[in-house]
């Protein structure tokens, strides 16, 4: 259980920390300092590297979460906060997969074609979805921690 918890928390830190840094620090700095062409190229190169780690984190969080549930006996014997976490975690993962296959692909294509208005629109969608996932992720961490205290 401790090893599964370690992978679970490491995955959460990498994913949440990356989204927090991108949303709260890099986004406003890039918007202030860079012209659209450089800004969109920077985001494309940043996502290209960060999303590899999000896939690794998603795999680690899901596998370790299901592993901990298996160690609890079954889903039926898992406490309520684990059910809530599974539901919010699945929503977060679905949102990430959507970002990856839709607006991120559009952003890549727009940058290749040097179509900055289309790139800006795709980046705007990614920003809103990452904001949503960051907020839901912070709630999910609170559920994970508070749930254990009250369980
Ligand atoms: C996707 C499916 C997920 C499953 C099946 C799952 C399952 C679990 C389980 C079984 C526990 C242990 C609960 C306990 O010991 O009472 C746990 C703890 C935790 N989970 Fe999740 N989880 C998921 C997603 C997430 C996500 C997306 C995050 C973060 C954004 C997260 C953050 C945490 C945290 C912070 C803890 C507490 C760790 C501790 O106190 O040691 N989980 N989760």
């Amino acid at each position: 259980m401790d090893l599964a918890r370690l992978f679970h928390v490491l995955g959460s830190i990498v994913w949440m920390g990356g989204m927090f840094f991108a949303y709260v620090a890099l986004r406003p700095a890039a918007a202030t300092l860079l012209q659209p062409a450089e800004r969109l190229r920077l985001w494309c190169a940043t996502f290209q590297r960060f999303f590899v780690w999000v896939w690794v984190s998603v795999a680690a969080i899901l596998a370790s979460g299901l592993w901990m549930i298996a160690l609890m006996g079954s889903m039926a014997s898992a406490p309520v906060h684990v059910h809530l976490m599974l539901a919010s975690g699945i929503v977060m993962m679905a949102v990430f997969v959507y970002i990856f296959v839709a607006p991120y692909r559009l952003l890549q294509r727009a940058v290749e074609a040097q179509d900055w208005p289309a790139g800006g629109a795709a980046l705007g969608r990614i920003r809103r979805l990452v904001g949503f996932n960051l907020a839901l992720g912070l709630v999910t961490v609170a559920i994970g921690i508070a749930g254990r205290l009250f369980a």
Side-chain angles (χ1 to χ4, degrees):
M1 188 85 153
D2 284 347
L3 193 59
R5 185 164 280 128
L6 173 67
F7 283 115
H8 203 71
V9 172
L10 284 179
S12 307
I13 288 171
V14 169
W15 191 9
M16 293 301 108
M19 285 201 291
F20 189 87
F21 168 75
Y23 199 85
V24 171
L26 185 58
R27 182 180 60 91
T32 314
L33 296 174
L34 301 177
Q35 295 303 312
E38 286 77 39
R39 191 162 50 87
L40 293 164
R41 282 200 189 99
L42 170 75
W43 279 115
C44 228
T46 303
F47 290 143
Q48 201 180 354
R49 288 159 180 81
F50 178 54
F51 284 171
V52 173
W53 290 102
V54 178
W55 281 114
V56 173
S57 301
V58 163
I61 291 170
L62 193 57
S64 58
L66 296 176
W67 181 6
M68 286 190 279
I69 290 172
L71 292 174
M72 287 169 177
S74 70
M75 197 61 211
S77 49
V80 118
H81 70 278
V82 172
H83 289 250
L84 288 174
M85 191 168 358
L86 177 58
S88 61
I90 295 292
V91 171
M92 289 176 64
M93 289 168 193
V95 169
F96 168 66
V97 171
Y98 174 73
I99 291 173
F100 193 84
V101 299
Y104 173 53
R105 289 266 180 269
L106 290 177
L107 175 65
Q108 284 180 313
R109 272 193 226 122
V111 167
E112 273 164 29
Q114 303 194 4
D115 182 349
W116 309 127
L123 186 61
R125 275 171 74 196
I126 295 175
R127 175 179 55 76
R128 284 189 292 279
L129 290 164
V130 168
F132 172 82
N133 248 4
L134 177 58
L136 186 57
L138 294 174
V139 172
T140 307
V141 170
I143 291 171
I145 300 290
R148 277 191 82 202
L149 297 178
F150 293 112

